Amino acid sequence: MTTLETTIPSCTPMKDETLAPIFEKVVAGIPLSLEDGLQLYVTKDLWSVCALAHTVRTSLHGNDAFFNINRHVNYSNVCALSCKFCDFYRKKGDEGAYEHSIEDIENEAKMAIESGATEMHIVGGLHPWLPFEYYTKMLSTIKKLAPMIHIKAFTAVEVVHLARISKRGRDGIAGISSVISELVEHGLGSLPGGGAEVFDERVHDEAYKGKISGEQWLDVHRVAHELGLNSNATMLYGHIETRAERIAHMITIREEQDKCLASESSGKFQAFIPLPFIPGVSELSPLPGPSGIENLRTIAIARLMLHNIPHIKAFWIMQTLHMAQHMLQCGADDIDGTVMWYDITKVESSTTTQEQSITDLCRAIRDAGFTPVERDTLYRTVERDGKVWSVR
Ligand code: SF4
């Protein structure tokens, strides 16, 4: 556990003295409780919360702020489920429904190589008819063309879907393990953190009934970690969940990471990514979504609650690059990458083609007062000469 005694005095003086016991716990490396997390949410002294989160991120990463050169691919928006917060999914035959062919994926891989990407991030809907072979072919096609590119693909929700369509759904953990192993054989490198939403039965039943439970999501990641894969964890917040349910979600991730680190698993959670709910045209669109201040506070609290997760990511595409800059000063150390195309959930009025150049990302990081560090998916430093790159 990290002890921060040497760096804590650099925090600004607290205005809210009720925060003092929480700050002492952070300094001593004691995990924060549900009550502590709630106190961090209600205090009016937001800047002390942010300052403490900044101290923690600095103790872990110094002045470095991470980004990567990546390409997101959403292979299909056709989905068997209808999560109420989601404005990405379509039913087969709906206007705008699509599925990419393997040739499309091949072209994506070529463009990824062309842009010097180190990662392809691939997720999609739970397509009712695409066969399991489509997914393995997708991976092997990319690997054949671009063996150096790391493929981070398929949320836990998709992995369970793939177990079902490959007739391993009834085999429980063994089925999940067999599916992930087969995907790894074809080129899978790690799992993204999506699909976690908020681990709470009430929220699950009201907003994404039919989706895998929190326990199943954790099972998939546990199996991936045991097989040596790293993964991320997300939290989709700012819809019908309470702040207490958010904190409980973070504590569950923290406890799972504790178990993982104490086990013989060689994989682990690398990053936690709070994702703000963006109403779009989803069924929950009458809800306003979280404010900028709530987003900032949630990033800072995530940094403080999750002492055993190395990275907190401000996913610029959902937070905006401007907010991501603020978040770097309030606990985040990563802003994701160049992205290029992201079709799932975007800031209102954004188009589907969304790209930040490396120059713009680095400028944003420098403007926020940090040193940009290009990382690969596993957070190794990338050394690059144009499109030619290697990792340290
Ligand atoms: S969130 Fe995922 S599983 Fe739910 S409807 Fe959207 S694409 Fe389907």
Side-chain angles (χ1 to χ4, degrees), residues 135 156 266:
Y135 302 89
S266 46

Side-chain angles (χ1 to χ4, degrees), residues 284-353:
L284 296 181
S285 62
L287 299 177
S291 69
I293 288 293
E294 188 75 358
N295 290 340
L296 202 61
R297 194 188 283 266
T298 301
I299 284 276
I301 292 174
R303 181 62 285 163
L304 295 172
M305 295 299 301
L306 295 165
H307 67 274
N308 58 2
I309 306 278
H311 302 280
I312 302 292
K313 187 188 287 188
F315 186 41
W316 70 262
I317 207 143
M318 289 174 77
Q319 301 280 11
T320 76
L321 191 54
H322 291 160
M323 276 302 289
Q325 285 183 295
H326 291 296
M327 289 168 174
L328 286 176
Q329 298 185 335
C330 301
D333 60 274
D334 189 310
I335 60 170
D336 203 78
T338 43
V339 177
M340 191 67 187
W341 176 279
Y342 188 72
D343 195 23
I344 294 189
T345 307
K346 327 166 255 294
V347 181
E348 213 167 351
S349 82
S350 298
T351 61
T352 301
T353 306

Side-chain angles (χ1 to χ4, degrees), residues 77 79-83 85-89 124-126 157 197 208 211:
N77 60 356
C79 188
L81 296 185
S82 311
C83 302
F85 61 79
C86 179
D87 77 349
F88 166 68
Y89 78 86
L126 310 186
V157 188
E197 325 311 3
Y208 32 94
K211 201 167 215 168

